[in-house]
Amino acid sequence: MKLVTLIRRGSDKEELGILRGERVLPLCEAGFSFADMNDLIRRSSEKERAAMAAAEGPELALDEITLLSPIPRPLQDVLCLGLNYAAHAKEASGFSQDAFGVELAAPIFFSKRVNYSQGSGAPIPAHRDLTAQLDFENELAVVIGRDADHVPEAQVWDYIFGYTILNDVSAREVQTRHKQWHFGKSLEGFCPMGPCIVTADEFPYPPAQRIYTTLNGKLMQDSRTDCLIHSIDEIVSVLSQGFVLRAGTIIATGTPKGVLMGAGEGRFLQPGDEVVCAIEGIGELRNTVE
């Protein structure tokens, strides 16, 4: 099941729906009521979600709605993995050995401040007053489905609600100047997500989906989501030993090789550039820099 947050044309009310090909079934039309996606994640039961997947009702065409980020307002900072694909770790150390030349034996965690996450089709602000090194990072984001506290690796799969696409937009010189990545990853508009959350039952576990990115139509990143150095099982288990991962927590699992800081040509995102982050089975997250 592909869950979305939407606004109907001519309305400013956010609603939840189920994406079915080129049409969307609003959950309210099928008799389900949740305040927002965070509420659905926390309160819905497995039986209720099965009923949603089979529900029928009046559907809307995509041109009748605007798809927002599936979770426009995360309840807390997004948790992120740094240098979690081997080839990306190599390209990053080539850009800045001081900032990225680190030991990979343990996961590298950082957080990303998100006041509002925009969806597919919404712009990425260039922040030209702060950065001339704007970059993209296509990442599989894991959404936690129930509070996770001291979870063994073998049980992590039972805590996962679903998956979405997250573009971990980064200001590279801000990221490296401050030595700690939080600020350079957290400017307003630096967390596009979408177009949907695919529930965990849709993929074999762990997901081994193609993950790829195009910039103005040119293929830049191309890998698979099972090429992680530190697996989803390890990531969730390690984090849950130190604090509770609340239902609705978003974890971005890292990006493959092919970001602009590894291109070696001094080329970074400019206004007008279109970035399309895609993951097989989830869809495309399409944003233009403004």
Side-chain angles (χ1 to χ4, degrees), residues 245-260:
L245 298 171
R246 298 296 184 191
T249 297
I250 302 163
I251 304 174
T253 58
T255 198
K257 176 185 177 182
V259 299
L260 291 174

Side-chain angles (χ1 to χ4, degrees), residues 100-106 108:
F100 301 112
V102 296
E103 175 61 47
L104 299 178
I108 298 172

Side-chain angles (χ1 to χ4, degrees), residues 107-244:
I108 298 172
F109 297 119
F110 62 94
S111 63
K112 186 178 184 78
R113 186 73 172 173
V114 184
N115 290 318
Y116 181 81
S117 168
Q118 73 270 42
S120 186
I124 296 171
H127 287 285
R128 304 299 287 174
D129 57 332
L130 290 175
T131 180
Q133 296 184 346
L134 190 66
D135 209 346
F136 57 81
E137 292 190 8
N138 183 1
E139 309 203 8
L140 175 72
V142 174
V143 182
I144 299 297
R146 59 191 180 99
D147 292 357
D149 184 11
H150 289 83
V151 179
E153 288 192 23
Q155 296 178 17
V156 164
W157 66 271
D158 195 38
Y159 287 79
I160 295 174
F161 180 84
Y163 311 96
T164 190
I165 304 169
L166 186 149
N167 186 349
D168 180 19
V169 182
S170 306
R172 295 302 186 192
E173 77 274 62
V174 180
Q175 179 184 3
T176 56
R177 179 190 310 131
H178 290 277
K179 307 302 179 184
Q180 208 284 347
W181 301 350
H182 183 82
F183 186 40
K185 298 278 191 173
S186 299
L187 305 185
E188 292 294 339
F190 270 24
C191 192
M193 282 195 296
C196 61
I197 294 175
V198 175
T199 52
D201 59 305
E202 291 292 315
F203 297 151
Y205 185 80
Q209 310 301 112
R210 184 187 178 204
I211 178 171
Y212 57 101
T213 306
T214 61
L215 173 60
N216 300 326
K218 178 182 178 182
L219 184 65
M220 302 295 292
Q221 295 181 288
D222 197 358
S223 186
R224 301 192 69 82
T225 60
D226 59 346
C227 292
L228 304 178
I229 296 171
H230 303 286
S231 68
I232 295 170
D233 286 341
E234 180 185 0
I235 293 164
V236 173
S237 181
V238 168
L239 287 171
S240 74
Q241 305 310 308
F243 50 80
V244 178

Side-chain angles (χ1 to χ4, degrees), residues 118-120 165-167 192-195 275-278 283-287:
Q118 73 270 42
S120 186
I165 304 169
L166 186 149
N167 186 349
M193 282 195 296
V275 180
V276 181
C277 298
E284 293 183 346
L285 174 62
R286 186 180 297 265
N287 303 96

Side-chain angles (χ1 to χ4, degrees), residues 8-164:
R8 304 189 197 209
R9 298 296 188 196
S11 172
D12 58 3
K13 179 184 177 183
E14 295 181 7
E15 302 180 50
L16 301 181
I18 301 172
L19 180 62
R20 294 172 171 169
E22 298 298 310
R23 302 188 70 81
V24 172
L25 170 63
L27 285 183
C28 63
E29 303 286 2
F32 298 95
S33 178
F34 298 96
D36 55 21
M37 192 69 74
N38 285 310
D39 186 44
L40 185 154
I41 293 167
R42 180 164 290 279
R43 289 202 300 113
S44 65
S45 65
E46 186 174 342
K47 181 178 180 180
E48 192 170 19
R49 291 193 295 273
M52 288 180 211
E56 298 182 0
E59 296 182 343
L60 300 171
L62 291 181
D63 62 5
E64 297 179 273
I65 64 172
T66 297
L67 287 180
L68 307 179
S69 166
I71 306 179
R73 299 168 191 84
L75 295 177
Q76 56 188 333
D77 289 1
V78 173
L79 300 175
C80 302
L81 269 289
L83 309 180
N84 203 28
Y85 286 74
H88 172 60
K90 183 177 180 180
E91 72 178 351
S93 65
F95 177 74
S96 173
Q97 179 66 28
D98 180 51
F100 301 112
V102 296
E103 175 61 47
L104 299 178
I108 298 172
F109 297 119
F110 62 94
S111 63
K112 186 178 184 78
R113 186 73 172 173
V114 184
N115 290 318
Y116 181 81
S117 168
Q118 73 270 42
S120 186
I124 296 171
H127 287 285
R128 304 299 287 174
D129 57 332
L130 290 175
T131 180
Q133 296 184 346
L134 190 66
D135 209 346
F136 57 81
E137 292 190 8
N138 183 1
E139 309 203 8
L140 175 72
V142 174
V143 182
I144 299 297
R146 59 191 180 99
D147 292 357
D149 184 11
H150 289 83
V151 179
E153 288 192 23
Q155 296 178 17
V156 164
W157 66 271
D158 195 38
Y159 287 79
I160 295 174
F161 180 84
Y163 311 96
T164 190

